[in-house]
PDB file of all heavy atoms in Angstrom:
ATOM      1  N   SER A  58     113.214-122.208-213.729  1.00 92.00           N
ATOM      2  CA  SER A  58     112.094-121.498-213.119  1.00 92.00           C
ATOM      3  C   SER A  58     111.839-122.073-211.740  1.00 92.00           C
ATOM      4  O   SER A  58     112.000-123.272-211.514  1.00 92.00           O
ATOM      5  CB  SER A  58     110.840-121.613-213.993  1.00 92.00           C
ATOM      6  OG  SER A  58     110.467-122.964-214.152  1.00 92.00           O
ATOM      7  N   ALA A  59     111.487-121.202-210.816  1.00 91.00           N
ATOM      8  CA  ALA A  59     111.191-121.615-209.444  1.00 91.00           C
ATOM      9  C   ALA A  59     109.809-121.113-209.070  1.00 91.00           C
ATOM     10  O   ALA A  59     109.441-119.976-209.385  1.00 91.00           O
ATOM     11  CB  ALA A  59     112.234-121.055-208.487  1.00 91.00           C
ATOM     12  N   SER A  60     109.051-121.969-208.393  1.00 93.00           N
ATOM     13  CA  SER A  60     107.672-121.625-208.035  1.00 93.00           C
ATOM     14  C   SER A  60     107.591-120.639-206.884  1.00 93.00           C
ATOM     15  O   SER A  60     106.591-119.951-206.720  1.00 93.00           O
ATOM     16  CB  SER A  60     106.890-122.898-207.700  1.00 93.00           C
ATOM     17  OG  SER A  60     107.462-123.539-206.568  1.00 93.00           O
ATOM     18  N   GLY A  61     108.636-120.549-206.089  1.00 90.00           N
ATOM     19  CA  GLY A  61     108.655-119.608-204.974  1.00 90.00           C
ATOM     20  C   GLY A  61     108.328-120.279-203.659  1.00 90.00           C
ATOM     21  O   GLY A  61     107.590-121.258-203.599  1.00 90.00           O
ATOM     22  N   GLY A  62     108.911-119.759-202.619  1.00 86.00           N
ATOM     23  CA  GLY A  62     108.712-120.226-201.246  1.00 86.00           C
ATOM     24  C   GLY A  62     109.141-119.086-200.356  1.00 86.00           C
ATOM     25  O   GLY A  62     108.720-117.946-200.564  1.00 86.00           O
ATOM     26  N   SER A  63     110.055-119.351-199.419  1.00 84.00           N
ATOM     27  CA  SER A  63     110.590-118.251-198.620  1.00 84.00           C
ATOM     28  C   SER A  63     111.447-117.323-199.479  1.00 84.00           C
ATOM     29  O   SER A  63     111.649-116.163-199.140  1.00 84.00           O
ATOM     30  CB  SER A  63     111.398-118.782-197.434  1.00 84.00           C
ATOM     31  OG  SER A  63     112.470-119.594-197.873  1.00 84.00           O
ATOM     32  N   PHE A  64     111.949-117.840-200.610  1.00 85.00           N
ATOM     33  CA  PHE A  64     112.607-117.017-201.626  1.00 85.00           C
ATOM     34  C   PHE A  64     111.612-116.880-202.772  1.00 85.00           C
ATOM     35  O   PHE A  64     111.011-117.874-203.192  1.00 85.00           O
ATOM     36  CB  PHE A  64     113.899-117.681-202.116  1.00 85.00           C
ATOM     37  CG  PHE A  64     114.714-116.802-203.017  1.00 85.00           C
ATOM     38  CD1 PHE A  64     115.603-115.899-202.495  1.00 85.00           C
ATOM     39  CD2 PHE A  64     114.567-116.878-204.396  1.00 85.00           C
ATOM     40  CE1 PHE A  64     116.356-115.066-203.327  1.00 85.00           C
ATOM     41  CE2 PHE A  64     115.311-116.054-205.231  1.00 85.00           C
ATOM     42  CZ  PHE A  64     116.199-115.151-204.689  1.00 85.00           C
ATOM     43  N   PRO A  65     111.412-115.673-203.316  1.00 89.00           N
ATOM     44  CA  PRO A  65     110.369-115.459-204.330  1.00 89.00           C
ATOM     45  C   PRO A  65     110.570-116.273-205.609  1.00 89.00           C
ATOM     46  O   PRO A  65     111.683-116.674-205.950  1.00 89.00           O
ATOM     47  CB  PRO A  65     110.487-113.965-204.637  1.00 89.00           C
ATOM     48  CG  PRO A  65     111.201-113.369-203.469  1.00 89.00           C
ATOM     49  CD  PRO A  65     112.103-114.439-202.948  1.00 89.00           C
ATOM     50  N   ALA A  66     109.476-116.485-206.298  1.00 90.00           N
ATOM     51  CA  ALA A  66     109.494-117.174-207.590  1.00 90.00           C
ATOM     52  C   ALA A  66     110.359-116.391-208.585  1.00 90.00           C
ATOM     53  O   ALA A  66     110.467-115.168-208.495  1.00 90.00           O
ATOM     54  CB  ALA A  66     108.079-117.317-208.127  1.00 90.00           C
ATOM     55  N   PHE A  67     110.962-117.116-209.531  1.00 90.00           N
ATOM     56  CA  PHE A  67     111.758-116.448-210.560  1.00 90.00           C
ATOM     57  C   PHE A  67     111.860-117.340-211.780  1.00 90.00           C
ATOM     58  O   PHE A  67     111.590-118.542-211.728  1.00 90.00           O
ATOM     59  CB  PHE A  67     113.158-116.075-210.047  1.00 90.00           C
ATOM     60  CG  PHE A  67     114.025-117.254-209.718  1.00 90.00           C
ATOM     61  CD1 PHE A  67     114.811-117.861-210.701  1.00 90.00           C
ATOM     62  CD2 PHE A  67     114.079-117.763-208.433  1.00 90.00           C
ATOM     63  CE1 PHE A  67     115.618-118.945-210.402  1.00 90.00           C
ATOM     64  CE2 PHE A  67     114.884-118.853-208.125  1.00 90.00           C
ATOM     65  CZ  PHE A  67     115.653-119.439-209.112  1.00 90.00           C
ATOM     66  N   GLU A  68     112.276-116.723-212.884  1.00 91.00           N
ATOM     67  CA  GLU A  68     112.604-117.428-214.124  1.00 91.00           C
ATOM     68  C   GLU A  68     113.898-116.845-214.646  1.00 91.00           C
ATOM     69  O   GLU A  68     114.137-115.645-214.526  1.00 91.00           O
ATOM     70  CB  GLU A  68     111.501-117.260-215.162  1.00 91.00           C
ATOM     71  CG  GLU A  68     110.249-118.034-214.840  1.00 91.00           C
ATOM     72  CD  GLU A  68     109.295-118.109-216.013  1.00 91.00           C
ATOM     73  OE1 GLU A  68     109.774-118.213-217.157  1.00 91.00           O
ATOM     74  OE2 GLU A  68     108.090-118.071-215.768  1.00 91.00           O
ATOM     75  N   ALA A  69     114.723-117.695-215.237  1.00 90.00           N
ATOM     76  CA  ALA A  69     115.998-117.234-215.785  1.00 90.00           C
ATOM     77  C   ALA A  69     116.443-118.198-216.869  1.00 90.00           C
ATOM     78  O   ALA A  69     116.049-119.355-216.883  1.00 90.00           O
ATOM     79  CB  ALA A  69     117.055-117.159-214.685  1.00 90.00           C
ATOM     80  N   GLY A  70     117.255-117.699-217.765  1.00 89.00           N
ATOM     81  CA  GLY A  70     117.819-118.538-218.806  1.00 89.00           C
ATOM     82  C   GLY A  70     119.288-118.241-218.975  1.00 89.00           C
ATOM     83  O   GLY A  70     119.726-117.115-218.753  1.00 89.00           O
ATOM     84  N   LEU A  71     120.040-119.258-219.325  1.00 86.00           N
ATOM     85  CA  LEU A  71     121.441-119.074-219.630  1.00 86.00           C
ATOM     86  C   LEU A  71     121.899-120.243-220.490  1.00 86.00           C
ATOM     87  O   LEU A  71     121.185-121.226-220.656  1.00 86.00           O
ATOM     88  CB  LEU A  71     122.298-118.966-218.366  1.00 86.00           C
ATOM     89  CG  LEU A  71     122.539-120.212-217.534  1.00 86.00           C
ATOM     90  CD1 LEU A  71     123.794-119.988-216.700  1.00 86.00           C
ATOM     91  CD2 LEU A  71     121.396-120.481-216.606  1.00 86.00           C
TER      92      LEU A  71
END
Side-chain angles (χ1 to χ4, degrees):
S58 60
S60 63
S63 59
F64 188 85
F67 66 87
E68 288 193 36
L71 72 158

